[in-house]
Amino acid sequence: QKEVEQDPGPLSVPEGAIVSLNCTYSNSAFQYFMWYRQYSRKGPELLMYTYSSGNKEDGRFTAQVDKSSKYISLFIRDSQPSDSATYLCAMKGPDSNYQLIWGAGTKLIIKP
Amino acid sequence: NAGVTQTPKFRILKIGQSMTLQCTQDMNHNYMYWYRQDPGMGLKLIYYSVGAGITDKGEVPNGYNVSRSTTEDFPLRLELAAPSQTSVYFCASSQQGASTDTQYFGPGTRLTVL
């Protein structure tokens, strides 16, 4: 079993829809949770960063962490064609200074 | 501020050839990383460095070597290229001790080994 599971998609939705992207993980020690966005033929860039449980909102994006279920989500409201990208979740525990554990990434397509 | 730059952007190698992937960052970050990304597989850590002169293996180091003589540069060396090394290679850097230790990525090098 992988430490982090993420459905690779692709996930195709119409413009304006609410998008839900998810990751599950097995290591209960993970405390730091990140979502990176990767456009085609580009490097990943940090989108959202969350410590421990709860929600964090930034514009149209909301990151949610449920540590009891070992489940994290990224919600995108009013999705735009420019949101089309691959979204990778990443996480790490308190004892790791450097190593992120990555999900496989979900390819998202927003249709105009 | 260029961030993290990588050269070359693309390369085709024959089996058994060697090459060096270059990575430079201008953010004065102490940590640097090399990842490979295969389709549907996420990012796998090859090597990392916590500062000039200090490097260590990641998850998939076999077939690769690194050095870090300066804060800015972190080249990745492929010796005796094999088809299994066909991948997209990303270099990244971060400043440990910062509030989020965000990793900043370069644009990647697409390598094909035939």
Side-chain angles (χ1 to χ4, degrees), chain A residues 2 8 32 34 36 38 40-46 49 86 88 92 96-100 102-105, chain B residues 10 31 33 35 37 40-43 45 48 57 59 90 96 99-108 110:
Chain A
K2 291 182 183 177
Y32 301 88
M34 287 138 272
Y36 279 76
Q38 184 178 21
S40 181
R41 297 184 176 267
K42 301 286 187 184
E45 57 180 351
L46 182 69
Y49 184 104
T86 296
L88 299 104
K92 70 183 181 103
S96 172
N97 281 331
Y98 65 92
Q99 187 163 356
L100 297 179
W102 295 85
Chain B
F10 306 93
Y31 277 50
Y33 316 80
Y35 291 95
Q37 186 177 38
M41 298 297 289
L43 292 164
L45 183 66
Y48 70 99
K57 297 176 181 178
E59 189 180 355
F90 289 102
Q96 296 308 110
S99 59
T100 63
D101 55 275
T102 302
Q103 291 191 16
Y104 295 85
F105 285 79
R110 292 181 173 272

Side-chain angles (χ1 to χ4, degrees), chain A residues 3-51:
Chain A
E3 276 195 284
V4 178
E5 299 275 2
Q6 184 177 11
D7 187 335
L11 175 63
S12 183
V13 301
E15 182 176 356
I18 296 174
V19 175
S20 172
L21 302 167
N22 311 294
C23 289
T24 59
Y25 61 95
S26 57
N27 189 341
S28 58
F30 289 152
Q31 288 188 351
Y32 301 88
F33 304 93
M34 287 138 272
W35 286 95
Y36 279 76
R37 179 175 60 195
Q38 184 178 21
Y39 290 115
S40 181
R41 297 184 176 267
K42 301 286 187 184
E45 57 180 351
L46 182 69
L47 186 61
M48 298 286 281
Y49 184 104
T50 310
Y51 171 69

Side-chain angles (χ1 to χ4, degrees), chain B residues 35-80:
Chain B
Y35 291 95
R36 60 178 288 171
Q37 186 177 38
D38 301 313
M41 298 297 289
L43 292 164
K44 302 290 186 186
L45 183 66
I46 304 171
Y47 271 94
Y48 70 99
S49 168
V50 302
I54 306 169
T55 63
D56 208 348
K57 297 176 181 178
E59 189 180 355
V60 289
N62 290 345
Y64 308 94
N65 272 301
V66 293
S67 60
R68 190 153 177 219
S69 56
T70 67
T71 300
E72 296 78 18
D73 300 306
F74 190 40
L76 177 72
R77 178 82 178 160
L78 277 73
E79 303 283 0
L80 299 174

